[in-house]
Amino acid sequence: MVNPHVSVHAYPWDVLGDPGFADRARATGADAVTLALSYHSTRAATPHHPRRRFVDAHHGALHRPVRSPAWAGHRLVPRGADWLPGEDPGRAAVTALAGAGLPVTAWIVLAHNSRLGRLHPDLAVVNCFGEPYPYALCPSRAEVRDHCATLAAEALHDLPAGAVRGVSLESAGQLGAVHAGCHEKTDGAYGPTALRALSVCCCEGCRAGWRSAGTDPDLVVGQLRRSAGTGAAPPAEVDEVVLAVRHAATDALRGRAVAAVRDAVPGVPVTLHAHPDPWATGPSPGLTAAAAGEVDAVLVPCWPTGPESAELVRRTALRHPVVDAYVTLLAPTDPGLLPGHVRRLRAAGASRLSLYHLGLLPADRLPLAAVLAAEFRAAGPAAPAAGPSAPAAPVAAPVAAPSTAPVAEIGAP
């Protein structure tokens, strides 16, 4: 039986310059702080910081030094976080937390970077109408996979020995049509089938994959356009090729990133942000048949407080024995629903709980983190699923009729 584990999320700017952060983290009863060492652009509130109330992280950044030797020969080179103090704010935050006795899980965002996508649109996801998604780097491209592997290694480079107790990989795959940013004005414009079609990358790398699979890329693009316009699903044979090529690229990117992590911090468990729907895109892309065997836990987006989140946990638990339920404490989530929500997730098979987000949490919701940590630990574990509690047997490539649930960018933090 896996002991329940609770973590709280934070950014380096929540930790640096705030002597009260460690006490707040300890008060939650969490086992670890999940700290962003690379992250996409955001404007973040800092309601507890003694000297500021907002941080404008205006581009995706590596919160570690951008070392020239590591990035030599790369077109995709991240920038550091010039809004943070010092030359190595990530290390400073990790060191501060470790010095306070708080274990750190390194949170690394991989293929989500609007700045790099705009600089290099040929490496971004492109939809069936030829429109690029600059926030989404396409895993079909070798340069993107190289970038993500180097980013993971550099996020972990030369950190204090033993300070990092886990690594959490976000966007280790393709992002899709919905981007939770830039004053998004797309909600409800497209039905789930059209949204799925608009989330299929049609860049030259993906077209080459379809061509290698014996399918005419122009035929695929035509079917996707038709689906985007009519809401009718593409033919099964088109879906099969599209999903197989996407998953092969996802496997290649994830494999490179996980290998880089294991080289940088041997023996440290790796958590993958993922979704049991094979068509999911976004920060938690669809689980592939190979993914579960390569990582130590799967983090599932569970921000909705209804039974659909528990169902995601149950489906994921059939694929991996360690499921991490990702829950937001922030508005507009009703705090009164959250205790029952985490109990339901525990009963569905989650043995880990990740709470988003300690740095963003307003004062009146701070006690809620400790309440949920206690509720989760007190709740009974799931009844054993059919078969042993070891990792589930490999699942065949999921190319059957897909879910029609809207799965693009689910729970995008």
Side-chain angles (χ1 to χ4, degrees):
M1 183 183 301
V2 180
N3 291 326
H5 180 281
V6 179
S7 68
V8 289
H9 282 60
Y11 303 127
W13 54 79
D14 298 320
V15 179
L16 299 175
D18 185 356
F21 180 86
D23 289 339
R24 290 195 299 277
R26 274 192 291 268
T28 68
D31 299 291
V33 175
T34 299
L35 182 74
L37 294 183
S38 75
Y39 202 67
H40 52 75
S41 58
T42 189
R43 181 171 180 260
T46 56
H48 309 289
H49 201 279
R51 294 198 302 274
R52 72 173 79 92
R53 284 297 172 264
F54 295 96
V55 166
D56 181 11
H58 45 275
H59 59 75
L62 174 61
H63 301 152
R64 306 293 319 284
V66 180
R67 303 185 309 129
S68 296
W71 295 100
H74 288 249
R75 276 202 299 159
L76 295 174
V77 179
R79 287 179 60 182
D82 56 17
W83 52 88
L84 286 172
E87 296 183 357
D88 194 347
R91 191 181 205 280
V94 169
T95 301
L97 293 172
L102 293 166
V104 174
T105 295
W107 177 15
I108 303 173
V109 173
L110 294 172
H112 183 183
N113 191 308
S114 300
R115 172 184 163 269
L116 291 179
R118 287 193 174 91
L119 285 173
H120 305 286
D122 57 310
L123 300 179
V125 170
V126 178
N127 72 16
C128 54
F129 291 91
E131 299 164 320
Y133 300 155
Y135 51 85
L137 301 175
C138 183
S140 73
R141 300 311 192 105
E143 287 180 85
V144 171
R145 300 192 293 268
D146 290 345
H147 167 78
C148 291
T150 305
L151 187 68
E154 287 298 289
L156 299 167
H157 175 74
D158 194 32
L159 290 175
V164 171
R165 307 289 184 84
V167 175
S168 185
L169 298 178
E170 182 180 320
S171 65
Q174 191 200 309
L175 281 80
V178 178
H179 181 223
C182 299
H183 292 275
E184 190 80 2
K185 301 293 182 183
T186 62
D187 289 353
Y190 306 106
T193 303
L195 192 61
R196 195 192 77 199
L198 291 169
S199 295
V200 172
C201 182
C202 303
C203 74
E204 288 303 319
C206 291
R207 286 171 178 253
W210 303 335
R211 194 177 294 112
S212 295
T215 299
D216 180 359
D218 291 337
L219 171 65
V220 175
V221 169
Q223 293 290 353
L224 291 171
R225 288 185 176 187
R226 189 172 297 111
S227 182
T230 67
E237 60 270 20
V238 169
D239 276 348
E240 182 173 347
V241 170
V242 165
L243 196 58
V245 169
R246 177 191 287 179
H247 280 203
T250 297
D251 284 340
L253 184 149
R254 186 195 60 256
R256 292 285 308 280
V258 170
V261 167
R262 297 206 188 280
D263 284 346
V265 283
V268 169
V270 178
T271 297
L272 178 70
H273 290 234
H275 193 287
D277 190 314
W279 285 95
T281 55
S284 301
L287 268 175
T288 73
E294 296 181 4
V295 296
D296 302 284
V298 176
L299 182 147
V300 182
C302 296
W303 290 19
T305 55
E308 67 272 22
S309 289
E311 179 59 23
L312 292 184
V313 168
R314 272 190 286 270
R315 290 167 59 190
T316 306
L318 296 174
R319 307 281 295 275
H320 200 287
V322 183
V323 179
D324 192 335
Y326 198 17
V327 171
T328 182
L329 306 179
L330 305 178
T333 302
D334 182 347
L337 298 177
L338 285 170
H341 181 51
V342 300
R343 289 194 298 269
R344 200 159 45 240
L345 298 174
R346 179 86 169 113
S351 57
R352 300 171 65 95
L353 178 68
S354 287
L355 297 175
Y356 186 93
H357 175 293
L358 186 58
L360 301 171
L361 201 59
D364 62 341
R365 292 198 179 208
L366 274 176
L368 189 59
V371 169
L372 297 189
E375 289 279 357
F376 188 75
R377 291 194 177 100
S389 59
V395 179
V399 295
S403 165
T404 57
V407 294
E409 312 293 327
I410 296 178

